[in-house]
Amino acid sequence: MWVWWLVFLLLIAIAVVLLANFAGPKKLAFNQPGLYKVEQVVDGDTIIVDMNGRQEIVRMIGVDTPETRHPDRPIECFGQEATAFNKQLIGSSRVRLQADSLETNRDRYSRLLRYVYLPDGRLVETELIRKGYGFAYPFFPFEKSAEFITLEEQAKKAGLGLWSACQVTLDSNGAKHTNAAR
C-alpha cells in the first residue's frame, strides 16, 4: 500500500513541476521588466516615467513631433495638438519600454531612447506618425525606420493631422518642421 502512496506523491510532484514550468513564463511575460508608470507627457515625443523610484526622461525612437518646448524655436503648428494626442493616448498608464538594437541607449541630452508600447500592445510612435501628429525621424539607424517612413507617406497622402493644417519645411540637415503656431 505504501508503494501506491509513494507513486501518488511522485505524480503530484511531477505535476507541480510541470505546472510551474508552464505558468512561470506567462507570469514573467506579464511582470516583465520595462513596464513603467508614466509620470508626465512632456510633449509629443517625450515622456517621463517612474523607473523603480527614479524619474527618467524617455525620448521616443524614430518619431519627431512639432516643437512646443524648444529654446530656439517658436511653438510649431500642430505641436500642441501632438502633445494633447500623446497625453490622451498614453494618459498616466503603465507603458512598456523597448530598446532598439540599432540605436544607442541615450541621446545627446541624456534622454533614454525607447520604443513606447501601450498596455494593449500598440506602439505610440506608429500611432503618432500614422495619424499625422509627427514625422518619421530617420536620421539615425533604427529597426522600424522603413515602417515609419511608409506610415508618414500614407499620412501625408491622406492629408491627416499636420499634413492638412501646417506648412512643412525642411531645414538644412533634412529635418522636417512646421510653421509657427497661430
Side-chain angles (χ1 to χ4, degrees):
M1 184 71 169
W2 66 272
V3 173
W4 288 110
W5 278 108
L6 186 61
V7 170
F8 177 72
L9 290 174
L10 184 61
L11 288 174
I12 288 177
I14 291 171
V16 167
V17 168
L18 288 174
L19 285 174
N21 285 338
F22 286 116
K26 290 178 187 171
K27 186 175 183 182
L28 285 176
F30 181 74
N31 293 322
Q32 66 181 317
L35 289 175
Y36 301 103
K37 182 172 182 350
V38 175
E39 295 291 323
Q40 179 184 350
V41 173
V42 176
D43 59 22
D45 52 37
T46 309
I47 60 175
I48 298 174
V49 297
D50 180 344
M51 294 186 92
N52 305 318
R54 192 176 95 238
Q55 288 195 338
E56 186 76 54
I57 300 172
V58 177
R59 174 65 167 83
M60 296 178 196
I61 296 173
V63 66
D64 191 28
T65 59
E67 298 294 343
T68 59
R69 296 176 169 256
H70 196 285
D72 301 326
R73 295 185 186 278
I75 294 175
E76 294 179 343
C77 178
F78 236 70
Q80 293 172 327
E81 290 85 346
T83 300
F85 178 74
N86 203 12
K87 284 180 182 176
Q88 178 268 324
L89 189 63
I90 295 175
S92 60
S93 65
R94 297 177 71 78
V95 293
R96 182 170 60 88
L97 303 177
Q98 182 179 333
D100 185 293
S101 65
L102 302 178
E103 183 61 83
T104 59
N105 195 45
R106 295 194 180 268
D107 68 6
R108 63 183 173 179
Y109 305 110
S110 296
R111 298 177 296 189
L112 193 61
L113 298 171
R114 292 292 185 266
Y115 292 114
V116 179
Y117 286 90
L118 298 170
D120 64 9
R122 288 181 295 157
L123 180 58
V124 173
E125 289 92 324
T126 61
E127 294 298 310
L128 288 163
I129 297 168
R130 172 181 308 165
K131 295 182 178 177
Y133 288 98
F135 307 107
Y137 193 74
F139 297 103
F140 302 97
F142 62 98
E143 294 171 358
K144 299 179 184 300
S145 175
E147 175 188 352
F148 288 10
I149 290 169
T150 300
L151 290 171
E152 179 184 300
E153 290 169 359
Q154 291 170 350
K156 183 178 181 179
K157 280 184 185 176
L160 298 176
L162 62 83
W163 296 106
S164 66
C166 310
Q167 292 178 332
V168 178
T169 57
L170 295 175
D171 66 14
S172 60
N173 69 358
K176 295 179 181 95
H177 295 282
T178 59
N179 53 302
R182 298 180 210 174

